[in-house]
Amino acid sequence: MSRRKKVNAPRNLSLPLFLVVLVLISFSRRVACVQDKVGDEDNGGYDNPAAQQLFTQLFFKRISNFTSIFKEDITKNFGFCITDVDADWNGAFNFSKHTGFISACAKKTKGDLAQRLCTAAEVRFYFNSFFTSTSSKKTNYLKPNKNCNLSSWVSGCEPGWACSSGSQKVDLKNTKNIPSRTTDCAACCEGFFCPNGITCMIPCPLGAYCPLAKLNKTTGVCEPYRYQLPPGKQNHTCGGADVWADILSSSEVFCSEGSYCPSTVQKIPCSEGYFCRTGSTSQQQCFRMATCEPKSENQNITAYGVMLFAGLSFLLIIIYNCSDQVLATREKRQAKSREKAVQSVRETAQAREKWKSAKDIAKKHAIGFQTQLSRTFSRRKSLMQSEMVKGLGHAKPGMDAALSPMTMSGPGAPQESRGGLKGKKKENSNLTKMLNSIEQDPDSHEGFNLEIGDKNIKKHAPRGKQLHTQSQMFRYAYGQIEKEKALQEQNKNLTFSGVISMATDVEIGKRPTIEVAFKDLTLTLKGKNKHLLRCVTGKILPGRVSAVMGPSGAGKTTFLSALAGKATGCTMSGMILINGKMESIHSYKKIIGFVPQDDIVHGNLTVEENLWFSASCRLSANLPKVEKVLVVERVIEALGLQTVRDSLVGTVEKRGISGGQRKRVNVGLEMVMEPSLLILDEPTSGLDSSSSQLLLRALRREALEGVNVCMVVHQPSYTLFRMFDDLILLAKGGLTVYHGPVKKVEEYFSSLGIMVPERVNPPDHYIDILEGIVKPSTSTGVNYKQLPVRWMLNNGYPVPMDMLQSVDGMAAASGENSNHGANTLDTGSDAQSFAGEFWQDVKCNVELRKDNIQHNFLKSYDLSDRNAPGVFQQYRYFLGRLGKQRLREARTQAVDFLILLLAGICLGTLAKVSDKTFGTLGYTYTVIAVSLLCKIAALRTFALDKLHYQRESASGISSLAYFLAKDTIDHLNTIIKPLVYLSMFYFFNNPRSSVTDNYLVLVCLVYCVNGIAYAFAIFLEPSPAQLWSVLLPVVLTLIATYTSTNKIVDVLANLCYTKWALEAFVIANAKRYSGVWLITRCGSLMSSGYDLNHWYRCLVFLVLTGVVSRAVAFFCMVTFQKK
C-alpha cells in the first residue's frame, strides 16, 4: 500500500519519475572509458567501415557485460514492476541486431560518444530530483546542478541537446560526483534522448522511434516532439528526443501503431497480412482467417469469434431441444429390460400352473388306474385277508397288526422296512424337486446335479449377490413378488414376513420393533406460555395402524413431531418411553420414517429414481443391490405406481404425475427404507377413496411385519376408518378425548350419551362435536369442553385443577381463549403494554432459533442396529442423482451459456483493451459481469432444494456428502463457463495476454463467486439472495478500484475478491509489455498498487475465498436449517 500513497501526487510528476527509473535501468549497462580504445584515433578513422564496426562491437560488448550498478536498488524499490532486471534490459536495450545508430552517433560525435553518455551520478541526480519533487505543476526542468543552474546554462541544458566532458576522464560507474560537461554542445544523436536540464545522452529503448526533430515554422515546435527552441539563440537548432516516459506523456517517442521499429532510428509500415501494435519492434503475422490490411494496428479475428459463436449456439440449441432424449433413451432400454423380465416371470408362472394342472390330472388318472387294478385282484386276496383277520383277532386292514407274521421275522424288521420306504420317498422327492425347479426356471444357471439326497439343491441357485445384470435383477425381483402374491393368497392369515420367508426359502431378519409410550405429555410454546399439547397419555404399538384425528388446531401434527423428536421452540414435560426405556427417539433415527404433510419429492426425477435413491442411502450398506431392487419393486407394487414408475414427478413449471400419485411417492420414500416406526402427517389428504384405501392397505401390509404405523387423518370414509386398529382423538388445545381401539370408540361415546345418527360417519360426527358445530343432546349433560376431562377421569389419569373447573361449570374452559387450540397460562386481566409484547415476541424468536440450532447439533447414541452407507458411498449416490437432474436441466444450463456468450461479445466489442491502461476497464467489466451471471446461476444449486435437504438430513442422510456432491457437480460449470465467456471476449477484444492466463483467472474467479453464492442461497431467502448477488460485485469493485489514503479503505480493498481478480487480469496483460513500455507498465502498476509478483498470490486468494465461503455455507446449512 506504500506504493499507492506515493503515487497520490499528480500524474505529470509521477511519469517523469518513472522515466528516471528506466533511465536507471538503461544506464546500468553503460561502460566507462570507451575513448581509451578509440579516442586517440584521428577523425578520419570513423569514415572507415572497419573502424566503425570495431568501435560498435567494442562499445556494445562493454555495455552488455555491465549490469550490477543499480540492480539491487531496482529489485528493492521497483520489484513490483520489474521482476527480472536482465530480461527487461534485454527487452529494452539489447541492440545487438541493430547497432547502426551507435556507429552513426560515433561518427557524428567524432569519437566523443563516451564523453556524452550520462554517468551513474547524473542518473541518480536525475532520479532524486523527480522523486523528491512535490510540485503539483508539470515542469520540464530538473533542479539546478553543476552544469545547468542560474549562473551557467549552456546549450546542452536545452531539451534534445547534450555536451561533452572534453578531455576530462569520465568514470561512468561514479555514483557520487557529476562530471563537468559543458563543452562542444550539440544536438542529441538519433536513437538517443537528452532530457531538459541535464547535459548527457541516454539511448532510447527498443520499441521507440527517436529521429532528429524538425522545426515547424508555423507553430515553432520541434516535431515530432513537443519542445520549442530557446528564444534569443539563433544558432540553436532542433535536436533529438527530449524525454522518455509513459505513453500519455511521451507518446511521440513510441513507435506508432501500424508500423514497427527494428531499431530506434528506423520505422517501417506494416505489410498486408501482418499487424503492428504500438511500440512493436517487428511485425506479427495474422491468423489465416483474420483480416489484416496494410498498416494494421491489430488483427481482426472477429471471424473466429463469429464462427465459434455460431457453432456454440447451434450446439446449445441441440442441447436445449434434445437434452431429455439421453435419459429418455436410457429409461426406454431399462423399461424394455423390465418388460422382458415381467414377461419371463409370467411365462414361468403360467408354465408352473400348467405343470401343476398336468400333475393333478396325472395323479387323478393314476388313482383311477390303481382303483381298477385293486378291483381286479381284490377277489383273489379277499379270502387270504379274511383268514388273516380272523387269526389276528379281527385286525383292521392296513394296520401293523394286519401284516403277515412271515414278513416280521425279527424285531428290527419292521423298522428297517419302514426306513427303506422312507428312503425311497425321500429319493423320489429330491428328484421331483430338482426336475420341478428346472422346469419352473428353464433359464436357471443350475445344472443337472443328480446328487441323491442333497438337501441344499435350492441353495445352489443364483441368489442376490450372484446377479449382476439389470435384466437378472428384475427377473429375480418380479419372480419373488409373484411368489409372494401366490403364497399370500394361500396363507391369508400369515404375516408378511412369513410370506416373504416362504417365497424366498430363506429366513429373513425381522425388523426391530419400536413401542412408543407417552405419559402426561405437555408441550408449551416458549415465550408465549401457550399449550400446544396437554396431558396426553397412551402408547402406540408395533404391528398396529394408529390414526390421530381431531379438529383444526388440535395439535395433531405437533403430537407427531413430539413423538419423532422434531418439536422445537417448545418446553416439553412428561415422559416418552421407547420400548419401555427412557431413551432418545433420535437413537433410532435410521429406522424411523417420517412422512411430512407437504409432498417433498424431487420433481426432476422419475418415481423409480426417487424411491431408488432413498433406498440406496437408507437401507443397510450390507444389503445386496438385488435385494434393494426387490424392496423398491415391492413398494412400487404395493402403492400402485407401476404405470408411472418411469414418469417424472413434475414441478410447478413442468407437469408430471397426478397429485394422488405424488402423495403416494411421498409415502414410498419412507417405506423403501424398511422402517420400524412409520409416522405420517396427513398422507390421505388430496387422495380419493380408492387411492386412500390402496395406501392404507400398503401400510397395513407394513404393519403385518411389525412396523408401528401412526398417521394423522382428516375426514376418512367409514370403510377407511374401520381399517385402522387404534384411534387417538384430540380436542383443541392438544387434549385427549379418546385413545383406544377403533372398534370400541362408539361404545365409549355411547356411554357418555353421545350417539352417532344414522347414515353419519362416526369420525365426522365426533369431530363436529369437538369443533362445536354439533352440540350433544342436553339430556346427556355433557359439554364438548368437558370431554377431555371425562376421558381422564374415566381412565384414572390426574386432572389439572383448572380443567376440573370445567366439570363443575365454575369457569370457562381453556378452549374458549385458545388460539387454534393454544391454551394461555397467563390469565391476568391487565393488558400488556406494546413494549412488553414486543419484548415477549423477541424472546420467543430467540428461544426458537436457539432451539433449532441445538436440535441441529443434537447427537445421540445409535441404537437402530443398522449399518447405513458411509459418507463416501452416499456421495456417490448423490453424484448419480445430481447428474441426472443436471441432464434434465440442460435447457437452463444452455440459456446460462448463451447469456455468457452474449456478455462476452458485448464486453469484448465495447470495452477494448487499451494499451494505455493495460485493459483495466474491460477487465473491470469482465469481473462484474462474470461474478453477477455466475452467482445468479449458482443460487439455484441450493436455493431450490432446501426442503429436500431438510427432509433428507432429518432422516440421517449425510449433510457433508450432499454438500460435496452439489459442489462437485458445479465444478463442471466452473470449468466450462470461463471457456464460454473467454471464447467470445478474447476474439472480440484480442488483448495481449495469453488465453491460458485469462482462463486460469476466470476459473478461480468463478470458483470464488460460486462459493459466495452458496452462502447467500443457504442463509438468505431467494429474493434477498438475488439482490445481494447483483449488488455485491458492483460495490466490491468500486471499493477495490477506489484510490484513497484512508487505511480502512485500503484494508477493505484487500479483502475484496474483485481487487484480486482485477489485479490478476491486469498483471497477466502488463507482463506482455516490454521495451519502451517499461515506464508505462511501472506507472500503471504503481498507481493501482499492483505487483507483477502477486499473480499466483491473487489466484490463491480467490481460491481461498471460495473455500472459506463454502465452509461458511456448509456451516449455515447445518446450523440454520429450518425445521
Side-chain angles (χ1 to χ4, degrees):
M1 301 312 301
S2 60
R3 295 196 306 274
R4 299 185 71 171
K5 295 178 183 178
K6 291 179 182 178
V7 297
N8 288 329
R11 187 174 183 82
N12 55 8
L13 174 63
S14 61
L15 296 179
L17 174 63
F18 306 142
L19 181 152
V20 180
V21 178
L22 271 298
V23 170
L24 185 81
I25 301 172
S26 66
F27 184 75
S28 65
R29 301 297 180 169
R30 305 284 79 81
V31 67
C33 302
V34 179
Q35 69 272 18
D36 292 343
K37 297 293 183 182
V38 295
D40 295 335
E41 298 183 10
D42 52 31
N43 296 337
Y46 290 98
D47 295 330
N48 187 346
Q52 293 179 6
Q53 184 177 5
L54 177 63
F55 174 81
T56 302
Q57 291 177 355
L58 182 61
F59 178 82
F60 185 76
K61 182 179 180 181
R62 290 296 184 89
I63 65 173
S64 62
N65 291 331
F66 185 72
T67 59
S68 60
I69 295 180
F70 294 112
K71 185 173 183 178
E72 183 177 353
D73 292 336
I74 293 172
T75 304
K76 179 179 179 181
N77 298 320
F78 298 95
F80 67 93
C81 63
I82 301 174
T83 57
D84 189 342
V85 177
D86 295 331
D88 284 327
W89 179 85
N90 286 328
F93 300 103
N94 188 352
F95 305 115
S96 59
K97 296 182 180 179
H98 303 279
T99 58
F101 75 100
I102 299 177
S103 302
C105 186
K107 181 178 179 181
K108 179 180 178 181
T109 59
K110 299 179 181 180
D112 199 27
L113 174 60
Q115 302 297 105
R116 296 176 180 271
L117 293 175
C118 292
T119 64
E122 289 172 303
V123 173
R124 187 179 292 276
F125 166 76
Y126 182 78
F127 171 77
N128 289 334
S129 296
F130 282 96
F131 190 76
T132 58
S133 177
T134 58
S135 175
S136 61
K137 296 182 180 180
K138 183 175 180 180
T139 177
N140 293 325
Y141 301 96
L142 299 176
K143 287 184 177 182
N145 55 74
K146 184 176 181 179
N147 298 315
C148 300
N149 51 59
L150 295 177
S151 60
S152 174
W153 189 266
V154 296
S155 299
C157 296
E158 296 295 336
W161 276 56
C163 299
S164 173
S165 60
S167 59
Q168 179 184 0
K169 187 176 180 179
V170 178
D171 184 7
L172 296 181
K173 297 181 180 180
N174 191 339
T175 61
K176 296 181 179 180
N177 300 320
I178 296 177
S180 177
R181 202 190 302 271
T182 58
T183 61
D184 195 14
C185 297
C188 201
C189 294
E190 284 188 309
F192 293 82
F193 72 96
C194 301
N196 184 19
I198 197 169
T199 59
C200 56
M201 297 190 308
I202 302 173
C204 291
L206 292 174
Y209 179 55
C210 301
L212 290 176
K214 295 181 179 180
L215 178 64
N216 188 333
K217 296 182 179 180
T218 304
T219 61
V221 176
C222 294
E223 295 179 348
Y225 312 112
R226 301 177 185 176
Y227 63 87
Q228 296 179 339
L229 296 178
K233 295 184 179 180
Q234 299 180 357
N235 295 330
H236 196 89
T237 60
C238 291
D242 65 324
V243 66
W244 168 44
D246 68 323
I247 192 170
L248 295 178
S249 301
S250 59
S251 58
E252 63 275 7
V253 178
F254 286 71
C255 188
S256 60
E257 58 189 32
S259 301
Y260 66 99
C261 301
S263 69
T264 56
V265 295
Q266 185 181 14
K267 183 167 70 172
I268 304 173
C270 224
S271 306
E272 185 177 3
Y274 295 85
F275 69 96
C276 302
R277 302 178 188 266
T278 303
S280 298
T281 58
S282 62
Q283 57 182 358
Q284 298 181 14
Q285 188 173 6
C286 298
F287 293 155
R288 180 171 298 178
M289 297 182 61
T291 303
C292 289
E293 301 293 335
K295 298 183 180 182
S296 295
E297 174 190 3
N298 204 344
Q299 59 178 338
N300 186 0
I301 55 177
T302 308
Y304 286 95
V306 172
M307 293 176 59
L308 190 59
F309 175 76
L312 290 176
S313 300
F314 180 71
L315 180 62
L316 292 177
I317 291 174
I318 294 176
I319 295 174
Y320 184 86
N321 293 300
C322 305
S323 58
D324 294 340
Q325 297 301 320
V326 177
L327 288 178
T329 304
R330 182 172 178 270
E331 290 166 2
K332 287 180 180 179
R333 295 185 63 183
Q334 288 185 351
K336 290 180 179 179
S337 175
R338 192 166 50 247
E339 289 173 0
K340 290 181 180 179
V342 173
Q343 183 178 0
S344 175
V345 169
R346 288 176 179 173
E347 290 176 354
T348 302
Q350 292 175 0
R352 186 186 298 114
E353 292 298 326
K354 291 180 179 179
W355 169 257
K356 186 177 179 181
S357 300
K359 187 170 64 174
D360 292 340
I361 294 173
K363 187 176 180 180
K364 290 180 181 179
H365 285 294
I367 293 174
F369 183 69
Q370 184 179 4
T371 304
Q372 292 179 1
L373 290 177
S374 62
R375 289 177 182 176
T376 303
F377 295 100
S378 60
R379 295 177 182 177
R380 295 183 180 182
K381 293 183 180 180
S382 59
L383 180 60
M384 185 182 299
Q385 290 178 355
S386 62
E387 292 177 354
M388 292 175 61
V389 169
K390 289 179 181 180
L392 293 173
H394 304 283
K396 294 182 180 180
M399 301 298 291
D400 292 340
L403 296 176
S404 173
M406 297 179 63
T407 61
M408 303 169 65
S409 59
Q415 296 177 358
E416 291 177 2
S417 177
R418 285 195 298 269
L421 292 173
K422 286 183 180 179
K424 285 187 177 181
K425 288 182 180 179
K426 186 172 184 180
E427 179 181 338
N428 294 335
S429 176
N430 286 332
L431 281 172
T432 304
K433 286 182 179 180
M434 186 186 69
L435 292 174
N436 289 346
S437 64
I438 293 174
E439 290 184 54
Q440 290 174 2
D441 191 3
D443 297 330
S444 173
H445 296 281
E446 179 184 2
F448 287 89
N449 186 3
L450 299 180
E451 183 179 354
I452 305 301
D454 187 3
K455 298 180 180 180
N456 301 316
I457 286 180
K458 285 192 176 182
K459 293 184 180 179
H460 295 306
R463 305 302 295 172
K465 292 184 179 180
Q466 301 177 15
L467 300 177
H468 301 289
T469 66
Q470 198 76 14
S471 178
Q472 288 177 337
M473 291 182 183
F474 281 129
R475 290 186 62 185
Y476 171 76
Y478 285 114
Q480 296 300 325
I481 291 175
E482 290 294 331
K483 291 180 182 179
E484 290 168 14
K485 286 182 179 179
L487 289 174
Q488 197 170 8
E489 290 295 327
Q490 297 175 8
N491 305 277
K492 293 185 177 180
N493 296 326
L494 196 63
T495 63
F496 186 44
S497 299
V499 171
I500 297 175
S501 179
M502 293 179 62
T504 57
D505 294 321
V506 294
E507 292 185 3
I508 65 168
K510 293 184 179 179
R511 303 184 194 179
T513 58
I514 296 179
E515 176 186 302
V516 183
F518 38 92
K519 182 179 181 181
D520 290 334
L521 183 61
T522 301
L523 263 67
T524 306
L525 190 63
K526 289 184 179 179
K528 296 289 187 179
N529 293 328
K530 293 180 179 179
H531 289 309
L532 301 180
L533 286 178
R534 194 172 187 190
C535 301
V536 180
T537 302
K539 66 171 61 175
I540 53 176
L541 302 173
R544 299 179 68 85
V545 181
S546 303
V548 182
M549 299 183 190
S552 298
K556 301 182 294 298
T557 300
T558 304
F559 171 69
L560 293 185
S561 299
L563 294 184
K566 298 177 179 291
T568 57
C570 302
T571 301
M572 188 175 70
S573 61
M575 292 189 301
I576 297 180
L577 303 178
I578 309 299
N579 294 329
K581 300 178 182 179
M582 288 289 295
E583 295 174 343
S584 173
I585 192 67
H586 297 284
S587 300
Y588 299 90
K589 180 168 61 175
K590 293 181 181 179
I591 55 175
I592 294 177
F594 186 90
V595 180
Q597 183 174 351
D598 298 324
D599 301 331
I600 305 175
V601 187
H602 289 280
N604 48 9
L605 293 177
T606 64
V607 172
E608 183 181 3
E609 288 168 352
N610 274 288
L611 298 178
W612 173 248
F613 176 80
S614 181
S616 300
C617 289
R618 300 174 68 182
L619 287 173
S620 175
N622 302 325
L623 193 66
K625 182 178 179 181
V626 65
E627 297 297 333
K628 294 180 181 179
V629 172
L630 179 58
V631 171
V632 173
E633 293 300 325
R634 283 197 192 113
V635 173
I636 292 176
E637 184 80 18
L639 295 177
L641 298 172
Q642 301 94 327
T643 57
V644 294
R645 62 182 302 155
D646 293 323
S647 301
L648 291 177
V649 174
T651 58
V652 177
E653 296 84 6
K654 189 173 183 179
R655 175 69 177 174
I657 59 178
S658 66
Q661 292 167 340
R662 186 186 182 95
K663 177 73 70 174
R664 281 179 273 165
V665 174
N666 188 32
V667 177
L669 290 178
E670 304 300 324
M671 291 177 60
V672 292
M673 52 86 65
E674 295 189 338
S676 296
L677 172 62
L678 184 57
I679 300 174
L680 305 96
D681 192 3
E682 300 185 21
T684 59
S685 297
L687 298 182
D688 55 18
S689 179
S690 60
S691 298
S692 298
Q693 290 186 28
L694 179 65
L695 176 61
L696 199 54
R697 286 196 192 100
L699 295 176
R700 289 195 62 83
R701 183 177 175 181
E702 291 288 307
L704 288 175
E705 200 172 346
V707 179
N708 192 343
V709 181
C710 184
M711 57 191 294
V712 173
V713 184
H714 272 305
Q715 294 182 336
S717 63
Y718 184 74
T719 304
L720 200 67
F721 177 69
R722 301 296 296 180
M723 293 177 70
F724 291 105
D725 297 314
D726 297 320
L727 172 65
I728 301 175
L729 191 60
L730 299 177
K732 286 189 175 182
L735 299 169
T736 307
V737 174
Y738 177 82
H739 180 13
V742 170
K743 298 178 180 179
K744 296 183 179 180
V745 62
E746 295 185 43
E747 179 183 346
Y748 169 73
F749 279 101
S750 299
S751 66
L752 298 179
I754 299 176
M755 308 297 295
V756 180
E758 294 183 2
R759 298 184 179 181
V760 175
N761 192 11
D764 292 344
H765 182 67
Y766 300 143
I767 291 175
D768 289 342
I769 291 177
L770 295 175
E771 191 74 51
I773 298 175
V774 177
K775 295 182 179 181
S777 175
T778 55
S779 60
T780 61
V782 178
N783 190 342
Y784 73 94
K785 301 173 184 178
Q786 301 173 352
L787 291 177
V789 179
R790 289 294 184 96
W791 171 255
M792 293 181 182
L793 295 175
N794 184 67
N795 291 275
Y797 299 149
V799 183
M801 291 301 298
D802 59 333
M803 295 180 64
L804 283 174
Q805 294 175 356
S806 64
V807 179
D808 302 330
M810 296 174 61
S814 60
E816 291 179 347
N817 297 323
S818 63
N819 181 15
H820 293 286
N823 297 334
T824 305
L825 295 180
D826 188 8
T827 58
S829 59
D830 294 338
Q832 198 173 14
S833 64
F834 174 78
E837 291 182 0
F838 176 77
W839 178 246
Q840 197 77 7
D841 290 340
V842 171
K843 288 175 60 179
C844 181
N845 290 331
V846 170
E847 290 288 340
L848 182 60
R849 290 181 179 270
K850 179 181 176 182
D851 257 19
N852 284 332
I853 294 176
Q854 289 179 347
H855 184 274
N856 294 335
F857 287 97
L858 182 65
K859 291 185 178 180
S860 56
Y861 185 71
D862 185 22
L863 300 174
S864 59
D865 194 25
R866 175 175 290 186
N867 182 23
V871 175
F872 179 73
Q873 191 65 28
Q874 292 187 33
Y875 170 76
R876 291 179 53 195
Y877 294 144
F878 273 113
L879 283 181
R881 186 183 77 176
L882 291 171
K884 294 177 182 178
Q885 289 177 318
R886 288 301 170 89
L887 281 176
R888 293 193 174 101
E889 294 171 356
R891 293 188 174 185
T892 305
Q893 296 288 330
V895 173
D896 290 342
F897 292 154
L898 184 60
I899 293 175
L900 277 174
L901 286 175
L902 295 176
I905 292 175
C906 294
L907 296 181
T909 304
L910 300 178
K912 289 290 185 182
V913 173
S914 173
D915 289 330
K916 299 177 182 180
T917 60
F918 299 107
T920 303
L921 183 62
Y923 288 131
T924 301
Y925 293 156
T926 293
V927 171
I928 295 176
V930 172
S931 298
L932 192 150
L933 295 176
C934 292
K935 277 184 183 177
I936 294 296
L939 289 177
R940 295 193 299 264
T941 302
F942 288 96
L944 301 180
D945 289 343
K946 285 185 178 181
L947 294 177
H948 302 88
Y949 164 72
Q950 291 163 15
R951 176 177 183 177
E952 291 169 354
S953 63
S955 64
I957 295 179
S958 172
S959 299
L960 181 61
Y962 170 81
F963 187 88
L964 291 178
K966 286 271 190 180
D967 189 32
T968 303
I969 291 296
D970 260 5
H971 286 343
L972 184 65
N973 286 332
T974 304
I975 296 172
I976 294 179
K977 284 187 176 181
L979 281 176
V980 173
Y981 176 82
L982 200 60
S983 64
M984 295 295 103
F985 178 82
Y986 195 85
F987 286 111
F988 283 88
N989 196 286
N990 196 15
R992 295 200 184 193
S993 54
S994 65
V995 177
T996 304
D997 290 346
N998 285 277
Y999 175 71
L1000 289 177
V1001 177
L1002 280 176
V1003 167
C1004 296
L1005 176 61
V1006 174
Y1007 180 81
C1008 174
V1009 299
N1010 281 352
I1012 298 174
Y1014 294 165
F1016 286 162
I1018 291 172
F1019 187 72
L1020 301 175
E1021 296 297 326
S1023 297
Q1026 293 176 3
L1027 182 61
W1028 274 102
S1029 298
V1030 173
L1031 290 179
L1032 189 68
V1034 178
V1035 174
L1036 293 185
T1037 303
L1038 292 176
I1039 296 175
T1041 57
Y1042 180 71
T1043 303
S1044 174
T1045 57
N1046 193 333
K1047 293 183 178 180
I1048 298 178
V1049 177
D1050 291 340
V1051 172
L1052 291 177
N1054 285 329
L1055 295 177
C1056 297
Y1057 75 90
T1058 53
K1059 185 258 184 188
W1060 299 97
L1062 185 58
E1063 181 175 357
F1065 276 124
V1066 173
I1067 289 174
N1069 201 36
K1071 65 184 180 181
R1072 296 282 176 166
Y1073 291 78
S1074 60
V1076 73
W1077 290 99
L1078 282 178
I1079 291 181
T1080 306
R1081 185 174 79 184
C1082 288
S1084 179
L1085 294 177
M1086 181 178 285
S1087 62
S1088 302
Y1090 298 158
D1091 193 329
L1092 288 180
N1093 301 295
H1094 290 174
W1095 192 72
Y1096 288 105
R1097 183 185 300 181
C1098 294
L1099 300 186
V1100 170
F1101 183 86
L1102 290 173
V1103 174
L1104 286 179
T1105 304
V1107 172
V1108 172
S1109 58
R1110 280 166 171 80
V1112 172
F1114 179 73
F1115 176 78
C1116 292
M1117 184 182 74
V1118 176
T1119 305
F1120 300 110
Q1121 58 170 311
K1122 294 181 180 179
K1123 295 295 179 183

